[in-house]
Amino acid sequence: MDFLRISDVGVDGLRTILDATARVKANPDAVKGLLAGASIGVFFEKPSTRTRVSCEVAAVHLGAHPVMLRGEEVGLGKREASKDVARVLDRYVDALAFRVFRHQHLEELAEYAHGPVINLLSDIAHPCQAVADLATIAEHMALPGCRITYIGDGNNVCNSLLLGGAMTGMHVTICTPPGYEPDPVEVSAARAFTVDTGGSIVVTTDPREALVDANVVYTDVWTSMGQEGESAQRLRDFDGYQVDLAALNTASDQALFLHCLPAHRGEEVTDEVMEHPRSMVFDQAENRMHAFSAVLLYATGQLPQW
Ligand code: CP
Ligand code: NVA
C-alpha cells in the first residue's frame, strides 16, 4: 500500500508501524534479509542527508537493492510525465520511495504504479519523519495524553506531526506567526481523528500560551527547501518564535526537545537547546532508519508476525 500521508495507514496501521519501529530498533536481526531479491527506486528532487542515508542503509539491511535516483536525471514532470515514470519504474522495481517538490507528483505515481509509493517528503507532508518523531517520544512516555507543542512554520513536517499526534491520542498545539498556520484542511483531518483517539488540536499564535505544560517541544526550519527566496522576510516574521532555553523552560519540567533536522542554529533553535540533555534530536535522526524499515515492510506486506 502507498504511504503518501501518515493517515493512509489509519490508526491501527500506525500503531503497527510504531510497534514495528521499536522492534526493529531493539532487534535488527529479526528483519535482516526479509526483502531479499526486491529492488526499490529511491528518488530525491531536493537535498537530503538523513532520509537518503537511512533509507539506503535500511533497504540494504532488509536485503533489498535501493536504486538511488536524482531529480535532475529523471526530470519528474519535465523530462517525462510522472505517470510515465511510474509505469516504467514499475517494470523494474518493487516499490518507489520519492522526495518531491509537488505532492501531486506522488499522487500520480501512486495512481499508475502497482507497487507501493512512499513519500520521503513533499511540499505538504513528511510522514516517515512523523513515524520517527512519534517513535522517539514513545521511548520516553505514552503517546496518548502526551502534550506536544510544535512552534514554527506550519509546513510539511508540522502537517504530518499534527496528523500523527492526533492519530495516537496526543494533545497537539501548533504555534505559528500569523499567516504561517498549517493548512485548515490538514487541521480538520487531524481533528477528525481526535474524536476517537481522545487527542486534541489547538492552533495559536501565542508562543507562551502554547509552551506552558508541554511534554515535548518541537520545531523545524523557518525556511524550507525551495523557499530560500523568502528567507529574509521569514526571519522577520518568525522573530519571537525561536526555541531558546527560556522557551524550553516554559514547558513542563522534563520536556523533551525534538527537531527533524537539519537545524538552522540561531534561527528557529539555539545551540543551547540543541545541545541540551533533553534534546533527543540525534535519537530522532537514528529512528528515521528504523521507522523506514517498518514503513517499507508494512507497505510491501512483509512485516513479520514477531
Ligand atoms: N529530516 C530529514 O528529512 O532530513 P534530510 O532532509 O537530511 O533527509
Ligand atoms: N520543512 C523542511 C524539512 C526538512 C527535512 C523542508 O521541507 O525543507
Side-chain angles (χ1 to χ4, degrees), residues 4 43-47 71 76 82 97-107 109 117-125 156 225:
L4 304 192
F43 169 95
F44 289 90
E45 217 170 35
K46 302 184 188 187
L76 192 66
S82 45
F98 270 47
R99 170 169 287 193
V100 298
F101 278 100
R102 294 177 55 199
H103 191 84
Q104 192 197 329
H105 280 154
L106 291 177
E107 288 174 349
L109 289 163
V117 178
I118 298 171
N119 181 357
L120 297 183
L121 180 145
S122 67
D123 49 347
I124 61 168
N156 44 12
M225 293 179 279

Side-chain angles (χ1 to χ4, degrees), residues 257-261 274 278-286:
F257 173 70
L258 295 183
H259 190 311
C260 60
L261 306 182
M274 283 289 287
R278 282 185 272 116
S279 167
M280 296 298 136
V281 299
F282 299 110
D283 286 351
Q284 192 184 356
E286 177 188 337

Side-chain angles (χ1 to χ4, degrees), residues 110-143:
E111 186 182 344
Y112 286 92
H114 291 99
V117 178
I118 298 171
N119 181 357
L120 297 183
L121 180 145
S122 67
D123 49 347
I124 61 168
H126 198 0
C128 294
Q129 179 68 52
V131 172
D133 301 341
L134 298 172
T136 306
I137 299 167
E139 290 173 347
H140 297 271
M141 61 191 90
L143 298 181

